[in-house]
Amino acid sequence: MPDTLTVTDNRTGKTYDVPIENGAVRATAFEQMKAGDDGRGLVVYDPAFLNTASCKSRVTYIDGDNGILLYRGYPIEQLAEHSTYLETAYLLVHGELPTKAQAEEWIHDITIHTLVHENVKTFIDGFHHDAHPMGILLSTVGALSTFYPSATQIYDEETRRISIYRLIAKMPTLAAFAYRHSLGLPYNYPDNDLSFPGNFLNMLFKMVELKYQPVPEVERALDVLFILHADHEQNCSTNAMRSVGSSHPDPYSATAAAIAALYGPLHGGANEAVVRMIDRIGTVDRIPDFIAGVKAGKERLMGFGHRVYKNYDPRAKVIKRMADQVLSATGSTPRLDVARELEKIALEDEYFVSRKLYPNVDFYSGFIYQAIGIPVEMFPVLFAIPRTAGWLSQWEESLLDKEQKISRPRQLYLGEQTRDYVPMERRG
Ligand code: SDX
């Protein structure tokens, strides 16, 4: 059987054979299907891209029905067990796991770019003490574009390379500065002797000791969380990165747009929203009332559901195991007791089962962050730090894709037809 779709336009009786490639048909194939005398062909309508591919990609693969997530073909479970975040970032950006020499060069090139211009501290000092750190992060990442004007040379490979180093390296520094600012504490500078997660902990928590010593278990837990959050194919913020990137600004400006998209509670802001939801529920005995509110459409069960996963999010499984481990050492908390009971009830309740609502990556991550001592408002920031590698991988892939051009969707216009201007005295 040929790989084609035969479409009959019943308005004209005409039949069209549309090629099927990679399990898809091109939307532009429908432009030829015209009926009216306006000469307009059919447009494919798909609000929120429920079933529309915006690109071809080789970075990340998700099988939502079977709970599979692959970075460049490697299962997320194996990377979480054996890899580090920086190695995973190399894999996402370059497409292959690094050799020893490549890994050493990559780590060196990122480590020597962890500092930010001293003027950036002035920007951060200008924010209120209670400014949300995601607002600070997206502002300062955007501001970085003014320190590297040459970054607009996005088709110069060397320029792209150093922009990628800088963004991956400086995200933790900006995030830690935002945190320290909120507490009125002095900024900690990077310690290049430490690992990527270890240095982040150093910039967050170092006080007056001469050298910060990260707790190895905490350092590893953070590294695994960074691996799990590094990329996730065409999610909302990656779509923002590609769409904004398609007009060819510098990558700092495109990344600021991606951070803004991630900030939303339906996306990367969900990990913060989960803990605030749990706090609102308060105790296990109040879960039934909350669930009733969800069914009545008054609430959303934050940390549950996913556009692609109609099975358990594989990342959530890893994070849940980590939460159990980390909290078995530090002792469970009332919040985690409520979370566990909430998950148990939701997984048995027909309302959630019928809608295939399972815990996603955001449901348990916050409990680990809290155990590490990271405040709730910083949770989306800890999502943005590792996702930078994914955003940049997708951004570069889009730039080098000969089929891509500036993103400019069509619309179905249902507004007023042409009408004449009405003078003020004749209105109303
Ligand atoms: C991330 O895309 C990615 O890959 C994202 C991400 C990544 O790594 O980049 O995985 C990270 O963003 C994870 C998702 C974090 N967000 C949340 O946890 C917020 C709560 N979840 C939802 O708002 C929702 O599930 C979404 C946004 C995640 C997905 O929404 P969809 O695919 O647009 O689904 P929908 O809103 O159309 O819901 C389908 C039905 C609706 O019911 P009906 O109108 O048919 O009766 O399911 C219901 C929704 O009301 N529903 C929920 C629900 N999620 C969906 N009802 C209660 N609680 C929920 N959490």
Side-chain angles (χ1 to χ4, degrees):
M1 294 293 278
D3 279 344
T4 57
L5 187 70
T6 299
V7 178
T8 299
D9 186 343
N10 294 318
R11 301 172 298 175
T12 60
K14 283 185 182 174
T15 298
Y16 305 85
D17 284 335
V18 179
I20 297 172
E21 313 159 64
N22 302 310
V25 292
R26 288 180 178 270
T28 47
F30 292 79
E31 276 180 323
Q32 62 184 317
M33 302 172 194
K34 303 175 183 180
D37 50 14
D38 60 6
R40 284 173 174 258
L42 286 177
V43 170
V44 178
Y45 176 54
D46 186 8
F49 312 125
L50 287 169
N51 190 41
T52 294
S54 62
C55 63
K56 292 174 179 174
S57 181
R58 291 174 174 78
V59 181
T60 293
Y61 173 72
I62 300 174
D63 175 340
D65 293 331
N66 297 301
I68 292 171
L69 169 55
L70 308 177
Y71 289 167
R72 299 287 190 181
Y74 293 96
I76 193 68
E77 297 85 351
Q78 293 185 30
L79 291 169
E81 185 174 350
H82 303 296
S83 190
T84 64
Y85 167 67
L86 279 189
E87 180 181 79
T88 300
Y90 182 98
L91 170 66
L92 289 169
V93 170
H94 295 90
E96 295 296 339
L97 288 167
T99 61
K100 189 170 184 305
Q102 288 167 334
E104 286 168 358
E105 182 183 5
W106 172 253
I107 291 170
H108 170 266
D109 288 339
I110 286 172
T111 302
I112 63 172
H113 284 102
T114 48
L115 277 174
V116 292
H117 192 289
E118 283 291 284
N119 286 9
V120 170
K121 295 192 309 185
T122 313
F123 302 152
I124 297 179
D125 289 343
F127 286 95
H128 278 204
H129 69 91
D130 58 354
H132 197 289
M134 279 294 269
I136 297 175
L137 188 68
L138 75 89
S139 311
T140 47
V141 168
L144 283 185
S145 65
T146 65
F147 290 88
Y148 308 107
S150 66
T152 54
Q153 306 306 311
I154 57 178
Y155 281 99
D156 172 72
E157 185 173 3
E158 188 45 42
T159 304
R160 273 204 316 276
R161 286 271 79 72
I162 195 160
S163 292
I164 288 172
Y165 298 149
R166 282 175 170 149
L167 273 159
I168 292 175
K170 297 178 193 311
M171 207 57 83
T173 308
L174 296 174
F177 280 15
Y179 170 72
R180 300 289 286 194
H181 171 73
S182 71
L183 298 175
L185 290 172
Y187 300 123
N188 286 318
Y189 285 98
D191 177 346
N192 289 350
D193 295 340
L194 298 174
S195 70
F196 187 89
N199 177 44
F200 179 52
L201 291 166
N202 156 61
M203 294 188 289
L204 284 177
F205 298 131
K206 182 177 178 297
M207 296 307 279
V208 294
E209 67 271 33
L210 285 179
K211 191 167 181 68
Y212 180 82
Q213 297 295 344
V215 173
E217 292 77 12
V218 174
E219 188 175 3
R220 180 57 191 159
L222 205 48
D223 213 17
V224 173
L225 284 166
F226 283 172
I227 291 169
L228 296 171
H229 285 82
D231 193 53
H232 212 239
E233 60 138 270
Q234 303 313 314
N235 57 84
C236 179
S237 53
T238 296
N239 181 58
M241 184 81 180
R242 281 179 171 260
S243 178
V244 170
S246 73
S247 74
H248 294 175
D250 63 272
Y252 301 93
S253 303
T255 302
I259 295 171
L262 189 72
Y263 194 175
L266 294 186
H267 189 15
N271 52 21
E272 175 181 0
V274 165
V275 174
R276 297 195 190 285
M277 170 188 75
I278 298 281
D279 284 350
R280 274 193 298 116
I281 295 171
T283 53
V284 168
D285 63 313
R286 291 172 58 183
I287 290 176
D289 284 349
F290 177 79
I291 294 283
V294 172
K295 292 178 179 178
K298 296 182 189 132
E299 296 276 2
R300 204 145 248 237
L301 184 54
M302 303 311 277
F304 268 69
H306 199 279
R307 174 64 57 76
V308 179
Y309 290 125
K310 300 309 173 191
N311 197 317
Y312 217 96
D313 183 330
R315 301 167 297 175
K317 283 184 183 171
V318 178
I319 294 176
K320 183 177 179 184
R321 274 202 305 275
M322 284 172 59
D324 292 339
Q325 287 162 8
V326 169
L327 289 145
S328 64
T330 62
S332 191
T333 62
R335 279 176 166 161
L336 191 62
D337 295 341
V338 171
R340 285 191 177 118
E341 183 61 18
L342 190 56
E343 179 195 18
K344 180 175 172 297
I345 292 173
L347 290 180
E348 293 163 0
D349 188 303
E350 183 49 31
Y351 178 90
F352 300 100
V353 173
S354 63
R355 287 170 173 76
K356 297 183 185 297
L357 298 179
Y358 294 91
N360 57 49
V361 68
D362 292 308
F363 189 65
Y364 279 106
S365 53
F367 300 107
I368 300 173
Y369 296 146
Q370 276 180 317
I372 292 173
I374 291 166
V376 176
E377 58 276 2
M378 280 290 288
F379 292 0
V381 173
L382 268 84
F383 197 142
I385 292 172
R387 186 53 59 91
T388 303
W391 289 332
L392 291 166
S393 307
Q394 301 269 355
W395 166 76
E396 187 170 47
E397 182 179 63
S398 189
L399 282 185
L400 303 179
D401 180 345
K402 297 274 184 277
E403 280 199 305
Q404 290 293 346
K405 50 176 69 177
I406 189 166
S407 293
R408 202 256 178 252
R410 303 289 300 279
Q411 65 168 13
L412 303 186
Y413 180 67
L414 304 179
E416 298 289 343
Q417 295 309 312
T418 307
R419 52 182 175 163
D420 295 328
Y421 183 79
V422 180
M424 183 64 82
E425 61 276 8
R426 284 171 38 203
R427 293 177 199 165

